[in-house]
Amino acid sequence: MINTDVLVIGAGPTGLFCVHQLGIIGLKCEVVDNLDKIGGQCIELYPDKPIYDIPAIPECSGEELTNNLIEQIKPFKANFHLSDRVEEIKKDKNNWLIKTSKGKEFKTPNIIIAGGVGSFEPRKFSVKGCEKFEGNEILYSIKDKTIFKDKVISILGGGDAALDWAIELSANSNIKLIHRRDEFRGAQASINKVKELEKQGKIEILTKYQLHSVEGDKKIESIGIKHDDDNIKKIETNYVLGFFGLIMQLGPILNWGLNLDKKHIPVNTENFETNQKGIFAIGDICTYPGKLKLILSGFHEGALAARGCYKYARPDEKLRFEFTTTSKIIHSRLGVKKDD
Ligand SMILES: Cc1cc2nc3c(=O)[nH]c(=O)nc-3n(C[C@H](O)[C@H](O)[C@H](O)COP(=O)(O)OP(=O)(O)OC[C@H]3O[C@@H](n4cnc5c(N)ncnc54)[C@H](O)[C@@H]3O)c2cc1C
């Protein structure tokens, strides 16, 4: 059981800045995110795209913003629990008991939900028998590309992820790129590259095909793919990678006894607490009159929610308002030295 002052659900920009705000007022937190990386929508949906409305940063990409936020919270050494989803929460006197999909347990007086549009999950194959191989030979994301060396890899999908991985893995593996349409919808440069690699015999492109069956006992041995004209082709393969995009689901948040308004959590604007004492909601997931779904709003909401947590985490202490420029205690929490 991990005891902490605050559990933050979601490591998007809002959750990350909130870690900073908790840190400067001296509260410890743990962060859980369903994704395998930190950054939420910024890193998953638009890492290379420029953002122009972060205060005092004229332009930065989703990835740069994430890296800066990570840098800014370094002094607070928050633990991140990635590829894990908060499933259950239960009240226990003045605390909340939390369980994740990987079986981790937390005890805390405060939960800050910074869950954005819910947890991102890969769209999976609907073909019977795929679950048996999932996480081994059937994969929806890649953590260790060295396992593919000298193997046959069937990649299904027509967007950037499918194209980029086909290009990258073709250096050391035999690639079959399978797509249900004739046209790919990724970046033109990647489409051109894939076609060039096809000419060089490094990638085999199979269009108008969809996954029809998977065969194998302990490991995958082959797959059947079905053409638009109903012909079925058998491919001997070691791995099957599916890149059909992500679905966003509120998922378990729906079952936590929170008031909901069209998949959003209503909060007060004083400290962003929900209808449940000690549960706060900030960022895209919360709603209140005038809510703007912008990163800058999430930062403000996180600052107030962090202060809202203080009274439950330190019931016998009063929080003093202090500026980061002049507060010695904040400087010591940040690990900065000031001569004054
Ligand atoms: C293409 C695009 C461009 C954009 N451009 C701009 C822009 O220019 N300026 C701007 O201000 N905003 C922009 N936005 C919006 C901005 O990205 C969002 O407002 C912002 O990401 C919201 O941050 P968040 O931290 O609230 O949520 P998110 O970024 O959605 O992060 C939430 C995280 O919570 C996790 N999570 C959810 N439920 C659980 C659970 N039960 N357990 C564990 N983890 C969970 C998710 O996996 C996710 O990582 C853009 C959005 C898109 C899609």
Side-chain angles (χ1 to χ4, degrees):
M1 176 79 77
I2 302 171
N3 283 285
T4 186
D5 292 325
V6 183
L7 181 84
V8 178
I9 302 175
T14 305
L16 291 176
F17 189 65
C18 189
V19 170
H20 180 270
Q21 293 295 296
L22 291 164
I24 62 169
I25 60 171
L27 297 187
K28 289 266 163 241
C29 69
E30 304 276 327
V31 188
V32 182
D33 200 299
N34 197 44
L35 290 175
D36 59 357
K37 45 189 161 324
I38 296 174
Q41 291 175 52
C42 298
I43 214 74
E44 193 62 44
L45 302 181
Y46 58 101
D48 309 327
K49 287 205 169 63
I51 311 173
Y52 299 102
D53 56 355
I54 303 298
I57 303 178
E59 180 184 337
C60 70
S61 67
E63 187 174 8
E64 284 162 349
L65 177 72
T66 304
N67 289 342
N68 281 339
L69 286 164
I70 294 172
E71 185 64 33
Q72 197 172 18
I73 60 175
K74 262 193 189 153
F76 307 117
K77 300 187 178 67
N79 289 322
F80 283 84
H81 308 265
L82 299 177
S83 304
D84 205 356
R85 189 163 88 157
V86 174
E87 293 290 339
E88 268 178 52
I89 63 167
K90 215 167 63 191
K91 188 88 188 160
D92 176 35
K93 296 185 192 125
N94 292 332
N95 283 300
W96 291 100
L97 302 178
I98 294 112
K99 270 197 193 147
T100 70
S101 52
K102 283 191 178 162
K104 285 191 184 156
E105 295 186 339
F106 300 87
K107 185 175 183 180
T108 178
N110 296 294
I111 299 174
I112 296 184
I113 305 174
V117 277
S119 44
F120 296 92
E121 284 165 29
R123 217 177 284 276
K124 297 185 178 178
F125 296 117
S126 53
V127 170
K128 215 171 123 210
C130 283
E131 325 78 55
K132 186 167 121 187
F133 302 109
E134 201 181 305
N136 294 312
E137 290 92 32
I138 294 190
L139 298 166
Y140 300 102
S141 66
I142 294 174
K143 293 196 177 73
D144 174 14
K145 60 184 181 185
T146 60
I147 59 171
F148 303 120
K149 191 162 188 290
D150 302 326
K151 304 282 187 211
V152 182
I153 324 285
S154 301
I155 300 181
L156 288 99
D160 282 316
L163 295 168
D164 291 350
W165 280 114
I167 295 167
E168 178 152 359
L169 298 179
S170 68
N172 294 308
S173 314
N174 176 342
I175 303 293
K176 320 276 180 198
L177 178 60
I178 304 157
H179 183 35
R180 68 194 165 104
R181 298 190 207 284
D182 238 351
E183 301 297 321
F184 288 92
R185 31 175 188 82
Q188 194 54 46
S190 309
I191 299 173
N192 297 346
K193 181 77 186 165
V194 156
K195 300 233 161 110
E196 192 186 309
L197 289 165
E198 184 188 29
K199 279 193 201 133
Q200 294 168 12
K202 295 196 172 150
I203 292 181
E204 184 182 353
I205 299 180
L206 298 142
T207 54
K208 297 194 179 175
Y209 278 103
Q210 295 193 51
L211 188 67
H212 178 69
S213 60
V214 286
E215 284 101 41
D217 182 18
K218 293 210 167 80
K219 284 183 165 220
I220 271 196
E221 281 154 23
S222 63
I223 54 171
I225 54 171
K226 189 174 178 185
H227 193 266
D228 278 2
D229 65 11
D230 283 346
N231 263 339
I232 293 178
K233 188 176 169 74
K234 185 173 163 179
I235 297 181
E236 293 190 356
T237 192
N238 303 109
Y239 289 96
V240 183
L241 310 181
F243 295 112
F244 303 127
L246 297 160
I247 30 177
M248 297 162 192
Q249 287 182 334
L250 264 196
I253 295 174
L254 290 169
N255 311 321
W256 296 346
L258 297 166
N259 287 342
L260 289 173
D261 176 7
K262 297 192 194 99
K263 295 194 178 174
H264 294 88
I265 305 173
V267 287
N268 70 53
T269 47
E270 186 188 330
N271 58 15
F272 297 88
E273 200 165 14
T274 65
N275 62 309
Q276 299 277 3
K277 195 174 142 195
I279 303 188
F280 301 79
I282 57 175
D284 277 13
I285 203 157
C286 76
T287 184
Y288 52 87
K291 164 73 185 167
L292 278 180
K293 278 195 184 183
L294 285 177
I295 295 166
L296 66 88
S297 318
F299 290 167
H300 162 78
E301 294 154 11
L304 289 186
R307 283 150 181 92
C309 292
Y310 197 86
K311 62 178 182 292
Y312 301 130
R314 306 274 183 276
D316 304 325
E317 293 171 31
K318 197 163 162 39
L319 178 63
R320 272 181 48 199
F321 174 80
E322 290 180 292
F323 287 126
T324 60
T325 31
T326 46
S327 162
K328 284 197 182 127
I329 185 142
I330 294 179
H331 292 164
S332 92
R333 285 174 186 145
L334 286 168
V336 292
K337 285 203 174 76
K338 291 268 165 194
D339 305 324
D340 47 9

